[in-house]
Amino acid sequence: MIDSEVMVDTNTLAWRTMITREEKGLKQIDLVRLINEPPHNIGITVGAYSKIETGDTKTPKIETLIALSEILDVSLDYLLNNHRTTPPHTHAIIV
């Protein structure tokens, strides 16, 4: 497991995480439960996750960001980059 923190635009991360979570119909507790279950097993508390959504976490761990990206089905670039306006999905659709 990677054990590093990442400097991010916390306002972009906070807004996009909250909006995407709500669009998926998830409460914070639901998302935290998914983050803490296999395959992610992050071990984050609801309080710590709430700080991500309020922008109070300045350096979230990369494994938390990866788990959020996978669970919310958006790219890391979307969560972290304030230049994108639409969420690119992480899973390709094969036709």
Side-chain angles (χ1 to χ4, degrees):
M1 182 185 295
I2 301 168
D3 187 26
S4 61
E5 296 176 338
V6 180
M7 292 297 296
V8 299
D9 176 350
T10 55
N11 291 328
T12 299
L13 176 63
W15 175 252
R16 292 194 174 164
T17 303
M18 181 184 66
I19 291 300
T20 307
R21 176 185 57 76
E22 289 176 349
E23 286 174 352
K24 301 268 182 204
L26 296 170
K27 296 179 181 177
Q28 285 186 353
I29 188 86
D30 300 326
L31 185 56
V32 168
R33 186 174 29 250
L34 292 170
I35 290 172
N36 290 330
E37 291 177 350
H40 306 292
N41 300 319
I42 299 299
I44 191 171
T45 65
V46 174
Y49 174 76
S50 180
K51 287 183 178 183
I52 291 173
E53 283 196 7
T54 59
D56 291 334
T57 298
K58 303 300 180 202
T59 54
K61 293 189 178 261
I62 188 68
E63 53 272 334
T64 302
L65 296 174
I66 291 169
L68 285 171
S69 155
E70 291 174 356
I71 292 166
L72 296 173
D73 195 28
V74 295
S75 69
L76 280 173
D77 185 48
Y78 173 73
L79 290 178
L80 302 176
N81 185 345
N82 64 5
H83 300 292
R84 278 198 193 273
T85 57
T86 57
H89 295 280
T90 57
H91 305 289
I93 298 173
I94 300 173
V95 190

